[in-house]
Amino acid sequence: MPFSFIDLRPMNKSAMYVMTEFVLLGFPGCWEIQIFLFSLFLAIYILTLLGNGAIICAVRWDPRLHTPMYFLLGNFAFLEICYVSSTVPNMLINILSKTKAISFSGCFLQFYFFSSLGTTECFLLAIMAYDRYLAICHPLHYPTVMTGKFCGMLVSLCWLFGFLGYPIPIFFISQLPFCASNIIDHFLCDMDPLMALSCGPASITEFIFNIQSSLVLFLTIIYILRSYILLLRAVFQVPSAAGRKKAISTCGSHLAVVSLFYGTVMVMYVSPTYGMPTLMQKILTLVYSIMTPLFNPLIYSLRNKDMKLALRNVLISMRISHNS
């Protein structure tokens, strides 16, 4: 059933409709392709949960990782679990569903969490860049500035600002008339697909949302790049080759995550997507919303000796407790 409307027409007056659900088309293909995609995304989702969950456990259980850097990394891993869980479970259900329907409120709830968690990730990546800058450029002041209390406050502000920025714009977007169609050619509810269905004037609402998102992206990426320019300049002044290697390795992991996330997000939300094939938009959205949370634990654990040792200890502890 492609449409689901409540008819509110009086006898001889103009028609008004209230949308009650949307249809997420997802990825095209026959049933065999849908089964393959379901298996692939389910495997990615499980690996993402296991990888980021392992980082959280390692940071929680290993006393050597009770430092601000790993506290931020543990929060980042938790954020990635939330981020991927805002889209993948519903996408898996829709792949196997015949109707592929999502309720009106469910669609905008997903839109809100997807936007808020993405914004929180931008802020948290900026805080992680600040932490590395402070640790390498001002090592003597680092223990007194980046205390546990201050680090916790910074993380709390990331979540607070991430979730307080979108309720009002998304509420006004939900009040727009959606009367052309209820079919969304995407696998999630996002700004561009929803605005394509609106048949009312939404220039101010769309403008505010886009300005807000662009400001978050540009301000955080500018701050991150500035921090790493100063950081790399300080690193190359370190006389010890081993010290330079360790600093570059630690920063390289963060820069890899930043490049992967911001690169695809900038293409989708900053550069014009008009004329871009719908399938390409879906693939780009997949990269930053699903693939990035999968790669993050691999990037951080494979390039960090302390994290690899902590993960090994966690696995050994789990094996011992299981055998006993």
Side-chain angles (χ1 to χ4, degrees), residues 68-196:
M69 183 182 82
Y70 291 108
F71 174 75
L72 292 172
L73 181 56
N75 274 273
F76 188 68
F78 175 72
L79 172 64
E80 294 293 59
I81 290 176
C82 296
Y83 192 43
V84 75
S85 297
S86 69
T87 58
V88 174
N90 184 75
M91 182 173 65
L92 292 174
I93 293 171
N94 272 4
I95 288 176
L96 299 182
S97 171
K98 292 183 178 180
T99 61
K100 301 186 181 298
I102 181 172
S103 68
F104 184 87
S105 58
C107 182
F108 278 93
L109 196 63
Q110 183 188 65
F111 181 27
Y112 169 69
F113 277 103
F114 184 68
S115 302
S116 299
L117 289 166
T119 301
T120 304
E121 181 159 344
C122 292
F123 289 139
L124 196 53
L125 286 171
I127 298 301
M128 293 170 75
Y130 170 70
D131 173 74
R132 289 301 82 209
Y133 160 76
L134 198 63
I136 295 174
C137 296
H138 302 283
L140 297 179
H141 298 287
Y142 182 76
T144 56
V145 175
M146 191 59 75
T147 61
K149 184 178 180 181
F150 182 62
C151 192
M153 184 188 71
L154 290 176
V155 171
S156 299
L157 288 175
C158 289
W159 286 90
L160 187 66
F161 289 144
F163 276 80
L164 287 182
Y166 288 99
I168 294 176
I170 290 179
F171 170 77
F172 281 110
I173 293 172
S174 69
Q175 301 305 301
L176 295 172
F178 296 94
C179 51
S181 172
N182 70 338
I183 298 176
I184 299 177
D185 192 6
H186 214 304
F187 62 87
L188 54 78
C189 294
D190 203 2
M191 183 64 178
D192 288 343
L194 285 169
M195 295 309 300

Side-chain angles (χ1 to χ4, degrees), residues 50-321:
L50 291 175
N52 287 285
I55 287 179
I56 295 172
C57 292
V59 173
R60 176 69 179 84
W61 292 338
D62 196 322
R64 290 169 299 183
L65 302 187
H66 292 175
T67 63
M69 183 182 82
Y70 291 108
F71 174 75
L72 292 172
L73 181 56
N75 274 273
F76 188 68
F78 175 72
L79 172 64
E80 294 293 59
I81 290 176
C82 296
Y83 192 43
V84 75
S85 297
S86 69
T87 58
V88 174
N90 184 75
M91 182 173 65
L92 292 174
I93 293 171
N94 272 4
I95 288 176
L96 299 182
S97 171
K98 292 183 178 180
T99 61
K100 301 186 181 298
I102 181 172
S103 68
F104 184 87
S105 58
C107 182
F108 278 93
L109 196 63
Q110 183 188 65
F111 181 27
Y112 169 69
F113 277 103
F114 184 68
S115 302
S116 299
L117 289 166
T119 301
T120 304
E121 181 159 344
C122 292
F123 289 139
L124 196 53
L125 286 171
I127 298 301
M128 293 170 75
Y130 170 70
D131 173 74
R132 289 301 82 209
Y133 160 76
L134 198 63
I136 295 174
C137 296
H138 302 283
L140 297 179
H141 298 287
Y142 182 76
T144 56
V145 175
M146 191 59 75
T147 61
K149 184 178 180 181
F150 182 62
C151 192
M153 184 188 71
L154 290 176
V155 171
S156 299
L157 288 175
C158 289
W159 286 90
L160 187 66
F161 289 144
F163 276 80
L164 287 182
Y166 288 99
I168 294 176
I170 290 179
F171 170 77
F172 281 110
I173 293 172
S174 69
Q175 301 305 301
L176 295 172
F178 296 94
C179 51
S181 172
N182 70 338
I183 298 176
I184 299 177
D185 192 6
H186 214 304
F187 62 87
L188 54 78
C189 294
D190 203 2
M191 183 64 178
D192 288 343
L194 285 169
M195 295 309 300
L197 299 185
S198 174
C199 57
S203 55
I204 297 177
T205 306
E206 188 175 8
F207 177 76
I208 292 173
F209 184 93
N210 289 334
I211 287 294
Q212 181 176 328
S213 300
S214 298
L215 280 175
V216 170
L217 286 172
F218 277 117
L219 291 178
T220 53
I221 191 61
I222 287 171
Y223 179 81
I224 290 170
L225 291 176
R226 177 184 175 275
S227 298
Y228 274 97
I229 289 171
L230 296 174
L231 188 151
L232 290 173
R233 188 173 67 180
V235 165
F236 286 114
Q237 293 175 355
V238 175
S240 168
R244 285 198 303 270
K245 184 178 179 181
K246 183 177 180 181
I248 292 174
S249 176
T250 303
C251 299
S253 300
H254 188 234
L255 279 175
V257 172
V258 168
S259 302
L260 186 63
F261 177 75
Y262 275 94
T264 50
V265 170
M266 288 286 189
V267 171
M268 278 296 298
Y269 293 101
V270 179
S271 63
T273 56
Y274 302 107
M276 181 185 293
T278 305
L279 182 59
M280 181 57 66
Q281 294 185 33
K282 294 178 185 179
I283 292 172
L284 288 172
T285 307
L286 274 178
V287 171
Y288 70 80
S289 65
I290 297 175
M291 300 308 297
T292 303
L294 171 66
F295 291 147
N296 285 348
L298 296 175
I299 292 171
Y300 279 115
S301 60
L302 292 178
R303 295 180 61 90
N304 190 302
K305 291 182 180 179
D306 293 335
M307 181 58 69
K308 284 192 287 187
L309 181 61
L311 289 173
R312 191 180 299 118
N313 292 337
V314 168
L315 292 175
I316 292 172
S317 301
M318 291 175 63
R319 188 178 303 170
I320 291 173
S321 62

